[in-house]
Amino acid sequence: MSSWPRPAGTQGDTTLVRTNLGAARLDHRDCPTRLSSDARPMLTAHPETPELSERLQDFTLKVFMDALDLIEHDRRDPTEVLEELRRTKGTFGLYRRREGHPLLLSWSAQAVRHHLAARTADQRTRRASGLPLTVPVRDVWALGTDPGPVDGRGADTYETTAWGRRYAAVDGSTRELWLLTFGAAKEDRPAAEKAVAAYVAAMGRPVSGGWRKRYTVVPAERLEPYRTAVPERVRVIEFGCGDGAYKELLDWNQQEARQRFVAAGWPALSRAVDGTGVRPGSGCVDCKALARCDAIARTPGLLTVAPPAPRRARRSLSVSDLRAHRDCPGKFHATRQLKLRSVRAESPEVRRGRVVDDVLNQRHSGTPRRSCADFPGPADPAAWGAGSLQLSGKEAIDGAAMLEQHAFYCPLDRLAPTEEVRVQHQVVCYDPGLDLVLIATPDLLHTRHEGWIWRETKTASRYLYEGEALMKLYPQLALGVLMLAAHVLGGDVSRSRVELELLHANDVTFEELDPSRPGVVDEAREVIAELARPWAGDQDYPTTPGRHCTSCEALEWCRPGNAHLAATEAAKETALPH
């Protein structure tokens, strides 16, 4: 009998266990049941839902990887491949491939050029150091593909993979795995993730097949010797598709790769494989067990939006998604669905807001619990920060003043020690009719006299105008009202409140909303529905240039947006007196 309890609402074979780098990260926000279910690829939802997909390509790296395959494995000319990418809209003429959005095509072409340049630079460095050059490898590398007896988990096969671009020295001495990040190259990765990546590169065998079935080892006689040789050394490289930077994360020999995997890699994978218990969050959208999960609140009709026709694959939705779609559907698709963000520097206001937010989160998460009034301000108000983000000059002085203003309204001040406090907690509910997972992340949640207080804290450069529609200006408040009114968190709704704290350099604007008042709920419902209606059925995501283009995180790849800004600047120049 298996020691792993099959989740309700699932069916299928659990004898195959397959893990990857995502399972090694062990993010505390992940749901243990979702991770362990994902590690069993032959397990499916029951009843099984039909395969549905978006009209446009929604796997961000698909076009990029296909283009590199043509260049690296089929030895096609890069210029020719990039032209074909543009002409075929990322399908490369293959049947039933989904076209890429223009923003994705532009980003993919840029990322391909970045990768080719990084590979050239790395090869040049290896040649200068007298090291053997590496060549692209088409094979998938996997560990442990031989079936054995069924064990205590109910598994007879364990497989571990690591996704990325693969390379090997033609003398078989070295293997490389290049890990990919959408934006800037990461400075580092968790020790367990690096250990798994290195061991897969060191000991993985070339395989084919997969998805919902076991891998098949490719016979050695079909491959060149360097593709099956056990390397002396392995390198794992971090590559940023957005900025083109690359960084060597590790260069280990076989013994070190094995030791690190035993010490950090396999323990992390084991925790993911054995995981039980539930934690609703963003992972619910892909969870096989969602239909029968008792941990997520069901809120049919929360959006008052008709189900789209034709039916869509399950999606997640946040107020940030809706605001991005309102600004520009193309921006929503690029930044919220594809997760593409420019690596250009943030504005001073955004950077200041992030630093103030980080400091408040650290303070509110502290143990024992303390009011922010008990914390001293920065030693030097003109130069301070949080983590790697540092402020200076006016933004630092204003940020320090905002922290001081918050101390007067800190929700932890005189809060009874028996009350519950959650910092940056994901509040999640599910609409079965829309097959939609709704996600909100308030800055702070806490109980008070059997009710829930939902606090949103924002740094602001301007004051609210008299009579301004609060929930329309800050729709995250509207979603908070709807979730509290729908008992997503439980508690006494009549004692619950949604609070807005706007921090200014020399003042605080404080407002609160009562989710037990029908008029407040009706207004919140209309605010969210007005945002959600155009989003619900959109599958084309056209770009709509406007004032928002100036701060758009996808502007770098948006031809219409750049044309709009150029035209706006030209009009200003024309209007100037000569």
Side-chain angles (χ1 to χ4, degrees):
M1 182 177 178
S2 171
S3 62
W4 181 74
R6 181 197 304 269
T10 63
Q11 64 183 359
D13 191 341
T14 61
T15 57
L16 169 62
V17 170
R18 179 182 296 150
T19 52
N20 54 28
L21 295 186
R25 293 181 192 126
L26 292 180
D27 190 320
H28 71 278
R29 296 167 296 184
D30 286 335
C31 173
T33 293
R34 188 260 174 135
L35 282 178
S36 57
S37 298
D38 281 353
R40 291 159 172 87
M42 295 192 291
L43 187 74
T44 63
H46 178 66
E48 192 166 358
T49 56
E51 290 293 329
L52 301 169
S53 63
E54 295 290 292
R55 181 179 300 159
L56 293 172
Q57 178 59 254
D58 55 3
F59 177 23
T60 306
L61 289 168
K62 178 63 175 171
V63 177
F64 165 81
M65 294 291 274
D66 285 350
L68 280 181
D69 284 349
L70 292 173
I71 294 168
E72 294 189 332
H73 304 319
D74 296 349
R75 300 181 183 277
R76 295 270 300 277
D77 177 77
T79 302
E80 174 189 311
V81 170
L82 292 178
E83 170 56 28
E84 188 175 349
L85 182 157
R86 182 197 62 78
R87 178 170 46 80
T88 66
K89 300 182 180 179
T91 68
F92 297 101
L94 297 175
Y95 179 61
R96 299 188 69 177
R97 289 287 180 91
R98 285 178 284 159
E99 295 180 353
H101 190 282
L103 291 171
L104 176 61
L105 300 180
S106 178
W107 177 88
S108 299
Q110 181 191 71
V112 168
R113 288 190 287 266
H114 281 162
H115 188 80
L116 295 176
R119 277 282 300 159
T120 299
D122 185 66
Q123 293 288 74
R124 188 182 301 119
T125 299
R126 291 185 67 81
R127 183 182 292 111
S129 302
L131 298 172
L133 301 185
T134 57
V135 296
V137 175
R138 192 189 295 267
D139 313 311
V140 172
W141 293 328
L143 297 172
T145 59
D146 294 329
V150 175
D151 65 9
R153 292 190 180 97
D156 64 13
T157 306
Y158 287 83
E159 298 174 348
T160 302
T161 63
W163 196 80
R165 301 300 300 181
R166 295 170 294 274
Y167 304 91
V170 292
D171 64 358
S173 63
T174 305
R175 278 186 181 178
E176 296 177 351
L177 181 65
W178 287 52
L179 305 180
L180 310 173
T181 301
F182 295 166
K186 296 177 181 177
E187 288 299 312
D188 202 1
R189 294 197 182 223
E193 185 177 359
K194 290 191 294 185
V196 173
Y199 198 56
V200 170
M203 298 300 296
R205 294 182 291 179
V207 296
S208 61
W211 196 48
R212 287 188 181 175
K213 59 183 180 181
R214 291 164 176 79
Y215 281 121
T216 301
V217 176
V218 180
E221 58 268 20
R222 297 184 190 174
L223 304 174
E224 299 93 331
Y226 75 88
R227 292 167 65 181
T228 58
V230 176
E232 300 166 7
R233 303 199 68 81
V234 292
R235 299 175 74 215
V236 175
I237 311 295
E238 174 72 27
F239 172 71
C241 295
D243 64 358
Y246 70 100
K247 172 185 175 63
E248 183 180 85
L249 296 180
L250 61 91
D251 181 353
W252 295 342
N253 60 30
Q254 276 281 336
Q255 182 180 3
E256 186 168 10
R258 182 184 295 275
Q259 289 173 343
R260 299 286 186 118
F261 181 75
V262 170
W266 179 242
L269 296 182
S270 296
R271 286 195 292 274
V273 169
D274 294 333
T276 58
V278 289
R279 184 176 298 120
S282 56
C284 292
V285 71
D286 298 318
C287 183
K288 303 169 185 177
L290 179 65
R292 296 280 300 278
C293 180
D294 295 331
I296 187 169
R298 273 144 175 85
T299 53
L302 189 75
L303 294 188
T304 61
V305 172
R311 183 180 170 187
R312 306 286 290 274
R314 183 184 298 152
R315 296 182 286 173
S316 63
L317 181 67
S318 69
V319 166
S320 296
D321 295 334
L322 292 175
R323 293 179 68 175
H325 190 275
R326 178 191 62 189
D327 289 347
C328 170
K331 169 187 174 180
F332 160 77
H333 179 63
T335 63
R336 308 301 301 184
Q337 288 188 314
L338 300 176
K339 312 299 183 186
L340 301 179
R341 309 286 175 87
S342 174
V343 294
R344 63 180 178 171
E346 295 175 315
S347 69
E349 293 78 16
V350 170
R351 185 168 55 249
R352 181 193 63 201
R354 286 185 61 193
V355 171
V356 170
D357 190 51
D358 285 351
V359 171
L360 292 180
N361 289 339
Q362 291 170 18
R363 291 180 176 180
H364 294 157
S365 301
T367 304
R369 189 185 301 165
R370 297 168 60 189
S371 165
C372 288
D374 298 336
F375 287 89
D380 181 1
W384 61 282
S388 61
L389 284 177
Q390 297 297 306
L391 304 179
S392 61
K394 185 178 186 303
E395 64 178 1
I397 293 171
D398 287 349
M402 289 174 176
L403 290 176
E404 186 177 353
Q405 295 297 330
H406 167 79
F408 294 103
Y409 285 85
C410 180
L412 303 189
D413 189 29
R414 293 187 295 277
L415 186 68
T418 54
E419 302 286 8
E420 184 176 353
V421 175
R422 301 178 184 177
V423 180
Q424 290 286 316
H425 174 77
Q426 281 193 337
V427 184
V428 185
C429 59
Y430 177 58
D431 186 326
L434 295 174
D435 201 9
L436 182 68
V437 177
L438 281 154
I439 301 173
T441 311
D443 293 304
L444 188 72
L445 281 169
H446 69 87
T447 55
R448 186 176 64 197
H449 306 310
E450 300 181 353
W452 278 99
I453 308 302
W454 180 302
R455 173 70 68 94
E456 298 284 358
T457 300
K458 308 297 175 189
T459 59
S461 299
R462 73 169 183 86
Y463 290 90
L464 293 173
Y465 298 124
E466 187 175 351
E468 200 165 16
L470 193 63
M471 286 190 280
K472 199 161 188 176
L473 190 61
Y474 295 100
Q476 58 266 51
L477 304 177
L479 185 57
V481 166
L482 295 181
M483 285 185 162
L484 289 178
H487 298 276
V488 171
L489 289 170
D492 186 343
V493 177
S494 67
R495 295 175 179 268
S496 298
R497 295 292 183 272
V498 175
E499 299 176 342
L500 173 66
E501 176 188 14
L502 286 182
L503 297 176
H504 310 283
N506 54 7
D507 199 3
V508 178
T509 301
F510 188 84
E511 302 282 349
E512 67 175 19
L513 298 164
D514 183 351
S516 68
R517 294 177 56 189
V520 173
V521 176
D522 289 345
E523 182 184 350
R525 200 178 304 281
E526 181 53 37
V527 166
I528 296 299
E530 185 179 345
L531 288 172
R533 288 182 193 120
W535 165 85
D538 190 2
Q539 289 210 63
D540 298 319
Y541 309 114
T543 51
T544 55
R547 293 176 58 186
H548 48 267
C549 290
T550 304
S551 59
C552 179
E553 294 168 297
L555 179 65
E556 186 176 353
W557 313 290
C558 183
R559 184 175 297 177
N562 280 290
H564 168 77
L565 292 181
T568 302
E569 286 301 312
K572 289 179 181 178
E573 290 291 329
T574 303
L576 290 174
H578 295 286

